[in-house]
């Protein structure tokens, strides 16, 4: 019987082949049982120590989650399900980008014991920033035209959207199911005024990516004030821009996971892995 907040049989069939298997050693707690514990944790936002006993020892679930986060297991799983969708022609490459701020719980802020022994590519600030509301983390998201995550980036909450735009787009990497290089370039990018800058527009043009980004009011005044030297206004089709609400709906679905809507993880690596696992589940329910 599949309980609430656990993987369905279809979701497990998609994820099971990508989970590392131990060839030797003591008998392990069943993989599906442990993954269900991880899903339950990010769905409900409870502490690792408060996991129900049916998922096995909480320390086993946490240790395996941390190992998978450092090894990039959930990132590869997300890329594989994207590859299957792309092979079937199911990805709409009209990509929308945006960001959302997430409040960090006080338990996420205590990183004193972690100093000096960070693993992997953990940033020194742990993607924790201080804003008016306290400690925050910002999730930068690129989603396809059907509202499914293509790439994720976490930064401190005060980091401006435009600074994370290039690294975010460079994280889009959908492998081919057969021969060929991964697809990394969208057909079109839609973004709001926060991404309106000459540098970002030039970057998109160099990569051959069409884009719809409205111009800021002060940029319009500056361009008009220069007269003929100000150049032509950037094109921003209103009908295309109306589809930007798709990324907002994607954020709503991600934040239905209580462990995503509020950050409880101490490290950026673990929190990004939790967002990636939630993104995988959104894809699994749409294919």
């Amino acid at each position: 019987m599949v309980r609430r907040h656990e993987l369905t049989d279809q979701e497990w069939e998609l994820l099971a082949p990508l989970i590392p298997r131990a060839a030797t050693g003591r008998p392990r707690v069943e993989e599906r049982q442990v993954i269900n514990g991880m899903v339950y944790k990010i769905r409900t936002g409870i502490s690792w120590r408060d996991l129900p006993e049916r998922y096995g020892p909480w320390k086993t679930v946490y240790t395996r989650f941390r190992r998978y986060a450092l090894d990039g297991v959930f990132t590869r799983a997300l890329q594989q399900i994207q590859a299957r969708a792309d092979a079937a022609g199911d990805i709409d490459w009209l990509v929308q980008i945006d960001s959302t701020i997430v409040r960090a719980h006080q338990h996420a802020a205590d990183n004193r014991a972690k100093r000096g022994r960070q693993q992997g590519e953990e940033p020194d600030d742990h993607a924790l920033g201080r804003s008016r509301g306290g400690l925050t983390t910002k999730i930068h998201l690129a989603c396809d035209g059907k509202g499914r995550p293509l790439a994720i980036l976490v930064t401190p909450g005060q980091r401006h959207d435009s600074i994370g735009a290039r690294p975010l787009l460079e994280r889009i990497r959908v492998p081919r199911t057969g021969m060929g290089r991964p697809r990394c370039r969208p057909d079109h990018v839609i973004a709001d005024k926060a991404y309106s800058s000459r540098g970002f527009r030039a970057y998109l043009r160099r990569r051959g990516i069409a884009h719809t980004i409205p111009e800021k009011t002060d940029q319009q005044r500056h361009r008009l004030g220069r007269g003929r030297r100000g150049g032509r206004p950037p094109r921003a089709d209103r009908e295309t821009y109306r589809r930007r609400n798709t990324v907002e709906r994607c954020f709503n679905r991600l934040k239905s996971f209580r462990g995503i809507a509020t950050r409880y993880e101490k490290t950026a690596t673990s929190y990004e892995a939790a967002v990636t696992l939630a993104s995988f589940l959104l894809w699994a329910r749409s294919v």
Side-chain angles (χ1 to χ4, degrees), residues 14-16 18-19 72-84 276-277 280 283:
L14 293 170
L15 185 59
L18 304 170
I19 300 298
V73 171
F74 299 127
T75 300
R76 290 194 295 272
L78 180 60
Q79 289 177 342
Q80 288 300 317
I81 197 169
Q82 290 171 350
R84 291 181 55 175
T276 305
L277 177 56
F280 171 85
W283 273 92

Side-chain angles (χ1 to χ4, degrees), residues 86-244:
D86 189 40
D90 189 40
I91 295 183
D92 183 351
W93 285 97
L94 181 67
V95 173
Q96 295 106 59
I97 61 174
D98 204 354
S99 68
T100 186
I101 291 179
V102 173
R103 288 288 300 273
H105 193 269
Q106 60 183 1
H107 294 167
D110 184 13
N111 284 299
R112 290 171 296 177
K114 301 287 184 181
R115 291 177 182 170
R117 54 188 182 92
Q118 293 301 325
Q119 298 176 337
E121 299 179 358
E122 180 68 20
D124 293 336
D125 56 14
H126 306 287
L128 281 171
R130 191 169 292 279
S131 306
R132 288 185 180 181
L135 291 172
T136 55
T137 292
K138 180 173 283 189
I139 303 175
H140 302 262
L141 176 69
C143 75
D144 76 336
K146 298 182 179 180
R148 298 169 299 187
L150 289 173
I152 299 149
L153 176 68
V154 296
T155 64
Q158 78 277 8
R159 189 72 51 83
H160 195 271
D161 291 3
S162 61
I163 297 177
R166 294 189 193 185
L168 177 66
L169 289 179
E170 288 166 3
R171 285 193 171 201
I172 297 178
R173 187 179 179 85
V174 178
R176 309 288 185 181
T177 54
M179 300 291 290
R181 293 178 296 177
R183 175 159 185 178
C184 305
R185 185 167 61 89
D187 291 336
H188 199 108
V189 167
I190 306 175
D192 60 20
K193 291 183 179 181
Y195 298 90
S196 177
S197 70
R198 288 187 177 183
F200 186 52
R201 293 180 193 276
Y203 165 78
L204 293 173
R205 284 194 293 268
R206 283 197 305 271
R207 293 191 59 189
I209 301 174
H211 51 277
T212 299
I213 306 175
E215 192 178 25
K216 292 181 179 179
T217 304
D218 62 329
Q219 292 174 344
Q220 291 177 358
R221 287 199 302 265
H222 178 69
R223 176 175 51 78
L224 293 173
R226 297 186 66 191
R228 295 176 61 182
R229 292 178 300 168
R232 292 177 299 178
R235 294 183 60 185
D237 183 66
R238 290 189 177 184
E239 290 300 321
T240 303
Y241 188 71
R242 285 178 180 176
R243 297 188 59 182
R244 202 192 68 82

Side-chain angles (χ1 to χ4, degrees), residues 249-269:
R249 298 201 302 269
C250 184
F251 276 130
N252 286 340
R253 289 195 292 271
L254 281 175
K255 285 189 171 182
S256 67
F257 292 79
R258 295 173 67 89
I260 306 300
T262 301
R263 174 176 168 176
Y264 298 99
E265 305 298 332
K266 286 180 168 45
T267 64
T269 308

Side-chain angles (χ1 to χ4, degrees), residues 1-15:
M1 180 183 69
V2 177
R3 297 174 181 265
R4 192 179 181 211
H5 303 321
E6 293 184 357
L7 296 173
T8 64
D9 292 339
Q10 178 187 1
E11 292 165 353
W12 176 243
E13 288 176 4
L14 293 170
L15 185 59

